[in-house]
Amino acid sequence: MGAMSMRFHSEGGAGEVTGSKHVLSIDGARCLIDCGAFQGKRDEAEKKNRDLVPDPESIASVILTHAHFDHCGMLPLLAKRGYRGNIYATPATRDLAGVVMMDSAAIQARDAEYLGKQAAKRGSTFEWKPLYDEEDVIRATGQFVTVSYNRPMPIGDGIKVELYDAGHILGSAMAYTHARDRSGREVTIAFTGDLGRKGKPIIRDPAILPAMDYLVLEATYGDRLHESTEDAMDKLADIVNQAAARGGKVVIPAFAIERTQELVFYFHLLVDQKRIPEIPIWVDSPMAINATSIFQIHPECYDEEIHEAFVRHHENPFGFNSLHFSASVQDSKRLNDYQGPAVIISADGMCEAGRIQHHLIHTISDPSSTILLVGYMAADTLGRRIRDRENEVRIHGEVFKVRARIEEINAFSAHADYRETWDWMSSLDLSRLKRVFLVHGEAAGLEHLEKFLGEKGIKDVRIVKKGERYEL
Ligand SMILES: [Zn+2]
């Protein structure tokens, strides 16, 4: 405590793209922005996740920018370790985060059971315990206080937050915070969370923020440029038409939240406009089905296009004649025997687990089938091996020759690239801006964005080091 002070530091998501945890300290009271999970190499991620943040019980408040696991995944552990305060987020983020956190608790419980059995077989003891369970998820979910976009909200002594559209996933927000210390000094700090892109379907574009003193900016694609979002539909139509002509299936590994609903929305438009034939389109992922029903109950997040279709014309953008959802394992298995052209969207997005693996087993050696990759594939994943066109891949311990066509569409990214980041930034009033803090990026992206913003005339750009304290 002691002297009056305003500070910023990161406990995660600094110099890396997972584990987002940023801390604003005002006269010693801490506000945590996001409490995400570290992902990557299992043992390393596990250790970092267990470290969490010091003294969770004395944190004053938490803001959650959006429902991705690397931003919300450790909230149940925070609650388990004694945090009893509020978690501020948009209503859609609260709902989606509930699904994401519960899914993680279920996966951890399954892992613990499996590893326990394996250890028993070897006659050894088993010590690993899940980081949290379903009870912790329920506790954390009960601590949410939802705040709609553009409703300024006091969240503690001397601190106020207003959430703005981030254009990243449903419910995603930038947190514009206003802080005042005991001496009466006032500072505004804006956190982008994950900054989205213009022109994404379903959700609105990133909002124009009011002028700020400090900007905490993500840099996931700080050194890359994407394909335009407008090309996505044309490519999708081409790939489906070619596969239909060959009588083959199109299998699309996709993350259950946002990417799947985007694809469904695009397919709906393509069918309506008769740009693809009415072949069956299956969404085969229980989590994607849950997430889709959450999309349906949050019209307050929609952009004009989907608002027009859904609210004015009472159409359901996430449901149409040729679209089917398969929730049960039996449905999923029946799909494997289906003959003829079809589209199958399934999770996990990087093919590392889940029903997508069964679909790949049935299609990857079939030259009439197409595997369509629409997301980022991390190193050492099955998805990456398919993308790298390896001749054969191992799935469930068995080797399969890769004979299906492998196609890619890179226009679906949910993160702004560096040019889009600047397009957004340069539309803001930067007259008061003192410094940009760069977070949520790997070294190459951070360094490139630092240089790029410098060339655009931003004088003070700082790559945030984990644990380092910055006076505001
Ligand atoms: Zn995200």
Side-chain angles (χ1 to χ4, degrees):
M1 313 284 148
M4 289 157 294
S5 69
M6 286 197 253
R7 275 191 206 122
F8 165 73
H9 81 275
S10 287
E11 302 269 1
E16 57 191 335
V17 293
T18 66
S20 273
K21 288 178 207 74
H22 307 298
V23 184
L24 197 54
S25 307
I26 300 144
D27 298 328
R30 286 176 300 158
C31 171
L32 180 65
I33 294 89
D34 290 338
C35 190
F38 289 102
Q39 294 163 282
K41 289 210 177 77
R42 193 187 168 106
D43 291 350
E44 205 180 302
E46 161 93 13
K47 191 189 166 301
K48 285 157 88 178
N49 282 327
R50 284 196 194 275
D51 282 348
L52 198 65
V53 289
D55 308 320
E57 68 282 358
S58 70
I59 291 170
S61 54
V62 175
I63 300 167
L64 175 62
T65 61
H66 67 288
H68 274 151
F69 189 57
D70 60 325
H71 291 257
C72 77
M74 286 301 125
L75 287 169
L77 186 61
L78 199 72
K80 183 181 175 178
R81 298 255 177 101
Y83 177 65
R84 294 290 172 268
N86 294 336
I87 300 168
Y88 297 94
T90 63
T93 293
R94 190 265 319 271
D95 293 349
L96 288 174
V99 171
V100 170
M101 297 186 296
M102 205 48 110
D103 186 61
S104 171
I107 290 169
Q108 292 182 58
R110 269 204 307 273
D111 282 358
E113 196 187 325
Y114 174 78
L115 293 170
K117 280 182 187 157
Q118 295 294 104
K121 272 188 205 162
R122 291 193 307 269
S124 60
T125 50
F126 167 68
E127 315 225 317
W128 187 81
K129 291 256 183 317
L131 292 160
Y132 55 80
D133 62 19
E134 292 183 357
E135 294 301 323
D136 302 313
V137 174
I138 292 167
R139 185 194 277 275
T141 308
Q143 289 173 242
F144 274 75
V145 171
T146 59
V147 187
S148 295
Y149 291 114
N150 310 113
R151 312 294 300 177
M153 176 89 168
I155 61 166
D157 282 346
I159 180 163
K160 210 164 60 181
V161 70
E162 186 168 352
L163 301 177
Y164 286 83
D165 274 299
H168 175 60
I169 64 167
L170 192 86
S172 66
M174 297 187 268
Y176 182 82
T177 59
H178 179 278
R180 182 209 297 259
D181 72 6
R182 278 195 298 263
S183 73
R185 197 167 69 92
E186 296 184 31
V187 167
T188 50
I189 312 106
F191 296 84
T192 60
D194 284 352
L195 180 64
R197 310 173 68 193
K198 269 189 185 169
K200 283 190 73 62
I202 307 170
I203 56 171
R204 291 184 293 268
D205 293 347
I208 307 295
L209 296 177
M212 75 282 292
D213 299 309
Y214 297 95
L215 176 65
V216 181
L217 176 66
E218 72 122 328
T220 311
Y221 290 106
D223 61 340
R224 270 178 277 178
L225 297 173
H226 302 312
E227 291 173 16
S228 127
T229 47
E230 283 143 36
D231 298 338
M233 255 179 63
D234 294 337
K235 279 193 142 184
L236 199 57
D238 280 351
I239 290 166
V240 171
N241 283 321
Q242 285 172 28
R246 287 195 308 274
K249 289 179 184 168
V250 179
V251 174
I252 313 178
F255 287 105
I257 292 178
E258 194 76 18
R259 192 58 41 85
T260 294
Q261 292 77 23
E262 262 179 63
L263 286 165
V264 165
F265 179 69
Y266 278 135
F267 280 126
H268 191 173
L269 292 180
L270 290 173
V271 170
D272 268 3
Q273 296 166 7
K274 305 199 184 329
R275 290 169 64 189
I276 57 171
E278 284 210 31
I279 60 174
I281 296 167
W282 289 85
V283 173
D284 185 31
S285 151
M287 188 169 161
I289 295 166
N290 288 338
T292 305
S293 51
I294 292 172
F295 273 64
Q296 286 172 346
I297 59 167
H298 287 291
E300 79 280 8
C301 299
Y302 296 167
D303 65 8
E304 261 309 305
E305 189 181 18
I306 197 163
H307 182 85
E308 183 72 24
F310 192 45
V311 182
R312 302 241 174 85
H313 301 295
H314 306 285
E315 265 191 65
N316 176 4
F318 307 107
F320 47 101
N321 280 342
S322 46
L323 180 73
H324 312 277
F325 291 94
S326 55
S328 74
V329 176
Q330 286 88 327
D331 281 348
S332 178
K333 283 186 175 151
R334 263 200 294 277
L335 214 47
N336 291 325
D337 303 325
Y338 179 84
Q339 300 295 320
V343 174
I344 299 169
I345 305 168
S346 189
D348 134 311
M350 297 193 205
C351 312
E352 280 297 276
R355 294 182 182 177
I356 186 67
Q357 294 197 325
H358 295 277
H359 297 302
L360 289 172
I361 285 172
H362 285 85
T363 51
I364 200 155
S365 301
D366 168 15
S368 70
S369 290
T370 304
I371 316 293
L372 172 57
L373 307 176
V374 293
Y376 181 73
M377 298 293 167
D380 301 318
T381 60
L382 175 58
R384 179 65 158 262
R385 284 190 278 277
I386 295 172
R387 203 196 74 185
D388 291 346
R389 272 81 173 170
E390 293 191 6
N391 291 329
E392 43 186 47
V393 292
R394 189 177 283 274
I395 310 172
H396 289 185
E398 232 182 296
V399 174
F400 295 87
K401 288 248 182 289
V402 181
R403 295 216 175 87
R405 291 191 181 203
I406 312 299
E407 300 274 7
E408 270 181 88
I409 300 180
N410 293 317
F412 287 105
S413 177
H415 292 267
D417 63 23
Y418 66 84
R419 205 158 50 199
E420 292 166 326
T421 299
W422 177 247
D423 283 349
W424 170 77
M425 252 187 92
S426 60
S427 69
L428 308 179
D429 173 358
L430 300 176
S431 58
R432 267 169 50 192
L433 186 68
K434 293 191 179 77
R435 178 183 289 171
V436 176
F437 290 107
L438 295 183
V439 296
H440 204 283
E442 285 168 0
L446 291 162
E447 282 158 23
H448 183 267
L449 191 58
E450 179 189 35
K451 194 167 143 265
F452 181 73
L453 293 179
E455 285 164 9
K456 295 291 182 190
I458 306 295
K459 287 186 190 70
D460 190 347
V461 183
R462 202 67 64 95
I463 296 174
V464 173
K465 280 206 189 85
K466 187 179 172 185
E468 192 164 315
R469 264 65 176 170
Y470 302 91
E471 296 292 334
L472 303 178

